[in-house]
Amino acid sequence: MPSPGLSKSTLLGLGGGLNLLETQRKIAEAKAQQSMNSQVRPWGMKINDKKAPVLPLDASGHFDLKAMMDTGIIPRRETANSKAIQRSKQAATAMKPAAAEKKPLKIDDSVPADFTDPTKNPYFDPSMEVKVAPKSRRSRHLKFVQPGKYVDIANQERAKAQLEKLKQQITESVKKAGMQTEFDVSDKVIKRDAPPAVEWWDAPFFANKTYDDLDNMTINPSSYETLVTMYVHHPVAIKPPSETNAVAVVRSLMLTKKERKKMRRQARAEAQKDKRDKIRLGLIEPDAPKVKISNLMKVLGDEAIQDPTKIEAKVRKEMELRQRMHEKANEQRKLSPEERRTKILNKLKEDQKLSNEVAVFK
């Protein structure tokens, strides 16, 4: 089989009596020409005979561009900044041995003798118990307050105060209704704050914060100049425990007609409320319905329809009974002539305690 790349004239020339050496030389030239033609592209660019470099991959299987730039597969762009970074890296590597030889920094907690000597250090005071050189301590982590912590504490305090106030109101209402025997409500149930050992305005004057120091202490006015100032503080007046539940003293004050009506109305409303409470608790029987001719049909209903004549007579009888009881109560409250005279004399004597009115004639 003829060698590829040999022309027809070459093959004819071989059969024209050429020797073996010339034939081998021609074949070698034809092979070299053929290899050059296969390596040259149509536009004249030569193909690199070197093998393609192995591209590095990262852990995820993608191409590692940084490793390519480090190995030189991708050429780096030479700029002024990159050259400066390279010079700084070289300087850092050159300084590494010197940095390795540097010793670690130690804090010396000892205090020099010159610092604690009052003759050399006029600012040093040996009587003060302040550490001159504080020792190093461990850093503690920050403890943040949870949101709503102090709001919950305030709500608990408000609930306790409201409960104590409610207990006191119940106790007062029970005492006012006269039901101490039915309910075991005493002053011991209500919690009250204990009095302080010393009042806050007297606390700065006592060393032990108690009034027992009054017997042993000596009063030196010059030492209290910073505590006693020109400003006067008036504490809130606190009623003694004996007067807390005492009956209020009614002062003799001339009231107008409108004010007297108002006080009478309030007293009647309070008495009616106490009566309703006793009826609700079952202490007294409820009053019979107050039937009149005007509300006859509304109160009795079917009974009035069955026998209206009988019901009307019964209602009129009850109305007369109520009228007689009302007049009887008025007569019982009315003072006799002797009692009225005694009342007037007692009032005159009470007025004479304050002042005496004297008429002088010339």
Side-chain angles (χ1 to χ4, degrees):
M1 182 177 179
S3 176
L6 297 178
S7 61
K8 187 177 180 179
S9 59
T10 306
L11 295 174
L12 291 174
L14 290 175
L18 293 176
N19 56 6
L20 184 60
L21 295 175
E22 187 69 19
T23 304
Q24 292 177 352
R25 184 179 63 80
K26 293 288 186 179
I27 292 172
E29 289 179 356
K31 287 182 178 181
Q33 186 68 26
Q34 185 180 6
S35 63
M36 287 183 64
N37 291 337
S38 62
Q39 292 181 359
V40 176
R41 292 189 178 182
W43 51 84
M45 182 181 292
K46 291 185 178 182
I47 299 175
N48 191 4
D49 293 338
K50 296 180 180 180
K51 293 182 179 180
V54 180
L55 301 179
L57 303 176
D58 56 5
S60 60
H62 299 86
F63 292 111
D64 193 353
L65 300 179
K66 188 175 184 301
M68 291 182 185
M69 294 179 69
D70 294 339
T71 54
I73 298 174
I74 300 176
R76 290 180 178 273
R77 183 181 178 186
E78 295 293 337
T79 58
N81 191 18
S82 62
K83 291 181 179 179
I85 294 171
Q86 188 176 4
R87 285 196 299 270
S88 64
K89 287 183 179 179
Q90 292 175 358
T93 53
M95 290 293 291
K96 274 185 179 179
E101 294 176 0
K102 188 181 290 186
K103 294 181 180 180
L105 181 64
K106 292 183 179 180
I107 299 174
D108 189 8
D109 293 339
S110 62
V111 182
D114 296 342
F115 187 83
T116 57
D117 190 0
T119 58
K120 296 181 181 180
N121 185 10
Y123 304 104
F124 177 72
D125 187 3
S127 62
M128 297 182 65
E129 298 181 357
V130 180
K131 295 181 180 179
V132 180
K135 296 182 180 180
S136 58
R137 61 183 181 85
R138 294 174 59 188
S139 61
R140 293 177 295 179
H141 298 288
L142 295 176
K143 294 182 179 180
F144 296 99
V145 178
Q146 296 296 330
K149 175 183 176 181
Y150 294 106
V151 176
D152 295 339
I153 294 174
N155 290 334
Q156 292 176 3
E157 294 295 332
R158 291 192 194 98
K160 287 181 181 178
Q162 191 173 4
L163 182 61
E164 296 298 329
K165 186 177 179 181
L166 184 61
K167 284 182 181 180
Q168 192 163 2
Q169 289 178 355
I170 292 171
T171 305
E172 292 177 357
S173 60
V174 168
K175 286 182 178 180
K176 193 177 292 183
M179 295 181 291
Q180 292 91 337
T181 56
E182 287 78 4
F183 296 93
D184 186 13
V185 180
S186 59
D187 294 339
K188 296 180 181 179
V189 179
I190 302 172
K191 295 181 180 179
R192 294 184 175 87
D193 296 335
V198 62
E199 299 294 343
W200 64 267
W201 52 81
D202 294 333
F205 297 97
F206 301 110
N208 299 327
K209 308 300 181 185
T210 58
Y211 286 111
D212 298 336
D213 298 341
L214 283 171
D215 301 332
N216 304 325
M217 66 182 295
T218 56
I219 298 174
N220 186 9
S222 61
S223 61
Y224 299 142
E225 290 180 355
T226 57
L227 298 176
V228 180
T229 61
M230 60 179 290
Y231 302 105
V232 180
H233 180 81
H234 299 281
V236 179
I238 302 174
K239 292 183 179 181
S242 60
E243 296 182 4
T244 304
N245 299 325
V247 180
V249 178
V250 179
R251 299 182 182 276
S252 57
L253 182 64
M254 188 63 184
L255 301 176
T256 61
K257 187 176 181 181
K258 186 176 181 180
E259 290 173 344
R260 288 197 299 270
K261 286 184 177 180
K262 183 178 179 180
M263 290 185 65
R264 182 173 178 270
R265 186 168 60 251
Q266 290 177 351
R268 287 168 61 88
E270 189 69 25
Q272 187 69 16
K273 183 180 178 182
D274 294 341
K275 186 177 180 181
R276 287 174 183 170
D277 293 340
K278 290 182 180 180
I279 292 171
R280 192 179 293 111
L281 294 172
L283 301 176
I284 59 176
E285 292 293 332
D287 296 337
K290 192 175 181 180
V291 185
K292 300 184 290 185
I293 299 297
S294 59
N295 63 353
L296 177 64
M297 299 300 296
K298 187 184 297 184
V299 176
L300 299 177
D302 295 339
E303 295 180 8
I305 296 172
Q306 292 175 4
D307 194 352
T309 306
K310 181 181 178 181
I311 296 299
E312 184 180 354
K314 182 181 178 182
V315 170
R316 289 188 184 278
K317 186 177 179 181
E318 290 178 357
M319 290 172 61
E320 291 177 2
L321 180 61
R322 286 197 300 268
Q323 183 67 24
R324 286 198 302 270
M325 290 178 63
H326 176 68
E327 293 175 356
K328 184 179 178 181
N330 288 344
E331 290 294 333
Q332 289 177 355
R333 284 195 300 268
K334 192 180 294 185
L335 297 176
S336 62
E338 291 79 9
E339 291 176 346
R340 190 180 299 107
R341 190 179 303 108
T342 306
K343 181 180 178 182
I344 293 172
L345 291 175
N346 292 336
K347 188 176 181 182
L348 291 174
K349 290 179 182 179
E350 190 70 23
D351 293 341
Q352 287 176 2
K353 291 181 180 179
L354 301 176
S355 63
N356 292 325
E357 296 182 2
V358 180
V360 179
F361 300 94
K362 186 177 180 181

